[in-house]
Amino acid sequence: MGPTVRKPGVPCCERAMDRPAKRATSADVARVAGVSRTTVSFVLNDKPGQTIPAETRRRVLEAARSLAYQPHSSARALAAGRSDIVLLSLPAMPIGAGISRFIEELATALAEHGLTLVTHLSGAQVRPLPAVCASVNASAVIGFEPFDADTARALHGAGAVFVFPFRTADADPMRSVGRLQAAYLIGRGHRRIGYAMPLSRGLRAMAEDRLDGAAEACAEAGIDAPVVASTDLEAATAARAVSEWTARSVTGVCAFNDETAIAVLAGMRTHGLAAPADLAVVGMDDIPTARLTVPPLTTFAFALADLSRRQAKAIVAGLAGGVPSAPLAAIAPRLVERASA
Amino acid sequence: MGPTVRKPGVPCCERAMDRPAKRATSADVARVAGVSRTTVSFVLNDKPGQTIPAETRRRVLEAARSLAYQPHSSARALAAGRSDIVLLSLPAMPIGAGISRFIEELATALAEHGLTLVTHLSGAQVRPLPAVCASVNASAVIGFEPFDADTARALHGAGAVFVFPFRTADADPMRSVGRLQAAYLIGRGHRRIGYAMPLSRGLRAMAEDRLDGAAEACAEAGIDAPVVASTDLEAATAARAVSEWTARSVTGVCAFNDETAIAVLAGMRTHGLAAPADLAVVGMDDIPTARLTVPPLTTFAFALADLSRRQAKAIVAGLAGGVPSAPLAAIAPRLVERASA
DNA sequence: CTGAAAGCGCTAACAC
DNA sequence: GTGTTAGCGCTTTCAG
């Protein structure tokens, strides 16, 4: 391939500077500003209840800037007894634009309160969450999936002050997606519902919850529980699932998520079936490519935008010793109606 | 929706225990084991060159376990002058199964060396990387995208010892994807290549690099530079791009990534065109749904698996003061041949 | 209003 | 081999 011309100024694989460039400490700032470290600490954190002369303030700020002073987070955490880190644990599932956006907004909202969000992709092999939490010294950890009792205990033990799974006592977002999907289908006159489970083990627990929700909706409508069939993201496998459904006269299927739904669509294609006439399918997530299928996928999506604000608020309140706000429970997916159901 | 039955033992929105459950310190362990803190530190980190009696070791370990001792990471980082945190900066793009897997493996490889990986989704609004780096006190930061000089400098200033963008001096993986895509098409006899750019601003820089690679391949083959058309993930927009290509007698198009490729396929459909006969399209990433399109998408994918091992190795070496290993450069996407080109 | 002093929990020279 | 002793950089009472 040969050496290519590099854009100037773009370092590639850089080592530390020869002399590790000792970071300026708060003592340095104090010296330059001609005040004590205490004063520096006060103005930099603008401690309430302190009345520092404007001139002194200015000098300190000026000194800090000129030295490119960056408080040492570990030292601060050690002294203050708490870090400004919030850890977000993400399940092993594709992170689409929706979730990215949620994360971005959550990070922004948290940043406004001086908190830093980092994420940890949980996975089978990876370090357990409590260990990561301890490593980064997180003050709070947020989970997309509920934590089991052991994990929660360990998290507390590792110093995490609060734990905020999305699932709350009042409502289970996972359940509600299944519920909403099934209810939508039932509302369109379907009396025999199918459920497309992912074959992937990692998604199992979440899928089971969603299925439960769908089953609840069926029960309430007085129809049979969903006919469950599993599939991976392979047309052939999905085709088999489709056979099961048609054989049992299912007319509408809730897919675990959009990817699964797209697989179902592909499976239908190999049978020469078309949605929604032959079989209606509804997905979940509204992934970017959901509108590019034939027919465009009817799906649901979490309104992640305001969720992020609420989560941020709850965490800040929690860290401040308050009680997490109740509205956290009121998270429901919204319908994105297209043409597949 | 009504109250639903909760699985027992699954906490929902948990506050810290009433009494914050003072974590055991190394002094506690020392007391219980009847030794000094130094000894505790030695056995717990099993410091090389120390020869501690097996019996003492056992007592210390036992005491640590019984107290559920967890070293305080901030204190450790402060004293040792370096944390065990590696920060991975991810661009604002969908994280598919491939990247997830890469991250998981990277985390595992790093964990084997006592390092903890956390990730940060970079985005427009979000806190700048150096700030996050400082907050978590990362020892190293890895980027999927290259860092500009300012960022790199700031990163060092924030205490990050090493910076390892994937792009190296010898080879540019981004460029090479464009190159490979175009070369593949050229190899199949196409003499007039199109390039599908994403409309999304965030992807722009990456896309430009890939396009450069494609242009290089064209130049080397002695054919015209790619005909560039932009599209978002909407069939109508993509259809317009397709018109541009067909109007300029393009017969094969390289798409920025699979999602863009799928959009192109959708755009072709609205024109009644079929791949690869009317227009060949090749994607990049091998996203899960790439095999579910009609026709299944021919695409490329990074062999992330061994990349992760090499990155981990390089980082460990770098942290130990060594020189990052050269083979980092040799990262090339592999072809996933299906039917769209 | 500002400074002195005491740690936060841990590591690492250096003695014993 | 193990304990003693300094700090790491910062926050935070408590005097001045």
Side-chain angles (χ1 to χ4, degrees), chain A residues 108-242:
Chain A
T108 308
L110 252 17
E112 283 165 12
H113 294 274
L115 296 172
T116 301
L117 184 74
V118 290
T119 82
H120 173 246
L121 287 270
S122 56
Q125 317 257 37
V126 182
R127 239 168 163 197
L129 187 59
V132 174
C133 176
S135 269
V136 300
N137 206 325
S139 291
V141 11
I142 311 177
F144 254 68
E145 62 224 325
F147 303 128
D148 58 57
D150 282 349
T151 303
R153 201 179 355 269
L155 250 19
H156 279 136
V161 187
F162 285 82
V163 170
F164 287 122
F166 281 46
R167 168 188 289 184
T168 68
D170 302 329
D172 178 340
M174 290 304 113
R175 235 179 178 85
S176 71
V177 350
R179 248 193 136 82
L180 258 20
Q181 288 176 308
Y184 177 76
L185 255 16
I186 293 168
R188 315 270 296 192
H190 296 274
R191 311 298 298 167
R192 196 125 179 101
I193 306 297
Y195 194 90
M197 285 285 266
L199 229 25
S200 154
R201 268 195 54 105
L203 268 18
R204 215 60 200 220
M206 205 183 303
E208 224 110 63
D209 281 339
R210 293 184 180 187
L211 172 57
D212 285 353
E216 284 170 16
C218 288
E220 284 165 21
I223 65 176
D224 288 349
V227 176
V228 178
S230 295
T231 182
D232 53 19
L233 270 20
E234 208 72 61
T237 322
R240 216 140 27 202
V242 170

Side-chain angles (χ1 to χ4, degrees), chain A residues 5-178:
Chain A
V5 182
R6 305 293 333 125
K7 298 187 186 123
V10 176
C12 297
C13 205
E14 194 151 327
R15 296 206 42 186
M17 306 311 178
D18 302 34
R19 187 168 314 282
K22 271 299 184 206
R23 281 165 71 171
T25 75
S26 105
D28 296 328
V29 176
R31 192 173 324 112
V32 171
V35 298
S36 80
R37 307 230 311 283
T38 313
T39 308
V40 171
S41 179
F42 282 167
V43 356
L44 259 30
N45 303 329
D46 47 13
K47 202 74 198 191
Q50 297 297 294
T51 137
I52 311 247
E55 168 56 14
T56 307
R57 269 185 79 78
R58 204 196 50 68
R59 278 222 315 282
V60 172
L61 261 13
E62 167 59 23
R65 209 168 35 64
S66 81
L67 289 168
Y69 170 70
Q70 288 261 166
H72 186 115
S73 59
S74 294
R76 182 206 284 267
L78 179 57
R82 181 206 296 168
S83 77
D84 67 344
I85 302 290
V86 175
L87 182 64
L88 173 66
S89 167
L90 254 27
M93 67 177 193
I95 311 292
I99 299 187
S100 292
R101 178 116 185 274
F102 165 74
I103 295 173
E104 200 166 313
E105 294 186 358
L106 183 58
T108 308
L110 252 17
E112 283 165 12
H113 294 274
L115 296 172
T116 301
L117 184 74
V118 290
T119 82
H120 173 246
L121 287 270
S122 56
Q125 317 257 37
V126 182
R127 239 168 163 197
L129 187 59
V132 174
C133 176
S135 269
V136 300
N137 206 325
S139 291
V141 11
I142 311 177
F144 254 68
E145 62 224 325
F147 303 128
D148 58 57
D150 282 349
T151 303
R153 201 179 355 269
L155 250 19
H156 279 136
V161 187
F162 285 82
V163 170
F164 287 122
F166 281 46
R167 168 188 289 184
T168 68
D170 302 329
D172 178 340
M174 290 304 113
R175 235 179 178 85
S176 71
V177 350

